[in-house]
Amino acid sequence: MDQLPNCPKCNSEYTYNDGSLLVCPECAYEWNPEEEQEEINIVKDANGNILQDGDTVTVIKDLKIKGTSLVVKVGTKVKNIRLTDGDHNIDCKIDGIGAMGLKSEFVKKI
């Protein structure tokens, strides 16, 4: 039996053929194996859930903000996140604080 590649988005091994495309049943990603794939940046929360632009997350740890006396408290809900490359891979606006970057390991998806 021909071995199909893992999903480039979530790395699932359960991919299958659908005509000329390969499909992942876990994340519903479809791709053409003949086309060169661009590198997909997968960002996961503290529980291992895959995050996407526009998701709503909750902070799971008190986070001190450098240079100020402000703290982002546990349970703070952050809406409409944007994923970025780098160490702080979530850009967002937090009510009462403003725009900032968060690390995905300190949030969980709602």
Side-chain angles (χ1 to χ4, degrees):
M1 185 171 167
D2 194 21
Q3 180 69 20
L4 295 175
N6 289 355
C7 174
K9 191 169 184 181
C10 72
N11 205 29
S12 170
E13 60 186 22
Y14 303 111
T15 57
Y16 63 90
N17 280 319
D18 186 21
S20 64
L21 298 177
L22 291 176
V23 180
C24 174
E26 293 186 9
C27 70
Y29 183 66
E30 298 179 355
W31 74 99
N32 185 342
E34 302 300 321
E35 294 177 5
E36 187 173 318
Q37 294 292 315
E38 61 185 53
E39 188 168 325
I40 298 173
N41 186 16
I42 299 172
V43 178
K44 295 184 179 184
D45 70 359
N47 295 332
N49 298 319
I50 296 175
L51 297 174
Q52 297 177 346
D53 286 342
D55 281 346
T56 299
V57 296
T58 302
V59 177
I60 62 168
K61 176 182 176 182
D62 283 347
L63 301 174
K64 295 179 183 176
I65 301 173
K66 273 188 177 176
T68 70
S69 61
L70 297 174
V71 175
V72 179
K73 296 284 189 180
V74 171
T76 301
K77 187 184 286 189
V78 182
K79 298 178 183 177
N80 199 20
I81 64 170
R82 290 178 310 281
L83 302 179
T84 61
D85 291 334
D87 190 30
H88 291 77
N89 47 11
I90 297 174
D91 279 341
C92 60
K93 289 185 182 176
I94 299 177
D95 293 337
I97 295 174
M100 66 180 304
L102 295 174
K103 292 184 177 184
S104 60
E105 64 217 42
F106 298 122
V107 299
K108 69 177 182 177
K109 189 174 182 176
I110 296 180

